[in-house]
Amino acid sequence: MSAPPRDGCALVTGASRGIGAACARALAEMGWPVIANYREDADGARGVVEEIERGGGRAKAVAADVSREEAPDILMEATRDGWGPALVVVNNAGRREDGLALQLEDDAWSHVLDANLCGPFRICRAFIPKMVRARFGRVVNVASIAGLRASRGQVNYAASKAGLIGMTRTLAAEVAHRGVTVNAVAPGFIGTEMTWDVSDDVLSKVPAGRFGRPDEIAACVGFLASEGAGYVTGTTLVADGGFSA
Ligand code: NAP
C-alpha cells in the first residue's frame, strides 16, 4: 500500500461486493483509508475490509441505506475520530427494479430513483463542503450506459442514471474553482450480481466480446480519483467494451 495521498479518507457506497468492492480495494491500493458502506450485506463488507487490512491498508464497514434521508449523517459520523474528511466519494450503490414503462408501479420508480439519484445528491451535498474547505476533492458517480442510450425495461434505472450524469455535470461546474472534481463512470455489462440475469447473447453486441470486470471499472474510478486527474471534471467515462461506440 502507498502512503495516504492526503489527510483524509475515501468513502465508497455499496462496497460490499461487485464494482463498489473493487473500488474500495483500488482506493486502498492508492493509499486511502476507506469507509466501505453497505446496506444489508454485512458479511460481504466485512470481507472487503479484512482483505484491505491484510494488504496493509485501513478500512471500516459502515451500514447505511443511501436511499434514506439519514444516510449522509450516518456516513459523516463514520468519518470522525481520525478518518475524515472524506476527500474521495464514490457514489456506487445502486439497484434495479425492471419493468416495461407502461406497467411500472410507483414503488419501483421511487425505490430506484431514491437509491440511484436522490442518495448520491444528498451525499454530495453533505460531503462536498469539506472538500471545498480542503481545496481538494474527488467525486465519482457510478452511472451506466443506460443513462446515455435506450435500455428497454429499465425506464426507472435509465432515468436515475441519466439524472446522475446531469447532476455530475452541473455539480462539477459549481465546484471546479475550489479544486473539487465531479465525474461519472458509465459501465456497460459488468459481471456482478446485478447482471446475473443478463444472458451471454448480449455479448454479440459487445465488440470486446466479453463482460467487463469490476476491477476494470475500479481502474476508471481510480484514475478520476487521482491527483493527476485534477483537470478532468464534469465528464462521463464510458467503459463498455465498445458497446456504445
Ligand atoms: P451489485 O453487485 O448488486 O452491488 C450493489 C452494491 O450496492 C452492494 O454492495 C449493495 O449492498 C449496495 N446497495 C444497494 N442498494 C443500496 C442502498 N440503498 N444503500 C447502500 N448500499 C446499497 O451491483 P454492481 O453491479 O456492483 O453495481 C454497482 C453500481 O454500478 C450500481 O450503481 C449499478 O447501477 C452500476 N452499474 C452496474 C453495471 C453492471 O453491469 N453490473 C452496469 C452499469 C452500472 P447491500 O447488498 O448491502 O444492499
Side-chain angles (χ1 to χ4, degrees):
M1 296 282 163
S2 342
R6 300 261 177 161
D7 195 13
C9 67
L11 164 67
V12 182
T13 66
S16 58
R17 59 172 185 270
I19 293 169
C23 291
R25 287 191 287 264
L27 291 166
E29 281 289 333
M30 290 165 70
W32 289 104
V34 175
I35 294 179
N37 157 255
Y38 66 99
R39 184 186 46 161
E40 289 178 336
D41 186 5
D43 288 346
R46 196 176 315 118
V48 172
V49 166
E50 285 170 3
E51 197 182 331
I52 290 172
E53 288 174 344
R54 273 197 304 276
R58 188 169 173 233
K60 71 171 165 180
V62 178
D65 179 341
V66 301
S67 64
R68 299 184 61 91
E69 282 179 24
E70 62 270 23
D73 287 345
I74 296 169
L75 295 170
M76 187 63 80
E77 188 59 37
T79 67
R80 301 199 206 290
D81 299 330
W83 285 80
L87 297 179
V88 175
V89 169
V90 182
N91 280 306
N92 163 80
R95 64 184 291 174
R96 288 168 47 189
E97 217 169 308
D98 296 353
L100 290 172
L102 303 189
Q103 285 139 28
L104 200 79
E105 305 277 351
D106 279 0
D107 272 358
W109 176 267
S110 48
H111 290 159
V112 171
L113 269 288
D114 285 350
N116 297 6
L117 182 58
C118 302
F121 166 65
R122 290 196 201 99
I123 288 171
C124 285
R125 189 176 56 187
F127 281 80
I128 288 178
K130 289 204 190 291
M131 298 180 185
V132 166
R133 229 163 284 145
R135 291 287 187 270
F136 176 88
R138 300 281 186 262
V139 177
V140 185
N141 295 319
V142 181
S144 166
I145 51 167
L148 297 168
R149 49 178 293 156
S151 183
R152 276 172 53 85
Q154 294 198 305
V155 69
N156 48 357
Y157 185 78
S160 72
K161 296 300 190 179
L164 192 58
I165 289 167
M167 185 186 97
T168 297
R169 286 203 188 101
T170 294
L171 259 176
E174 290 185 8
V175 298
H177 64 298
R178 309 284 197 172
V180 179
T181 67
V182 187
N183 290 288
V185 174
F189 298 100
I190 311 302
T192 68
E193 272 188 38
M194 188 174 273
T195 48
W196 67 271
D197 58 345
V198 177
S199 94
D200 284 353
D201 296 349
V202 80
L203 296 182
S204 62
K205 298 187 185 126
V206 178
R210 63 174 178 83
F211 285 87
R213 297 189 311 270
D215 64 281
E216 291 175 310
I217 303 307
C220 299
V221 170
F223 165 66
L224 293 171
S226 69
E227 295 268 349
Y231 203 57
V232 181
T233 196
T235 194
T236 298
L237 177 53
V238 175
D240 67 353
F243 179 72
S244 53

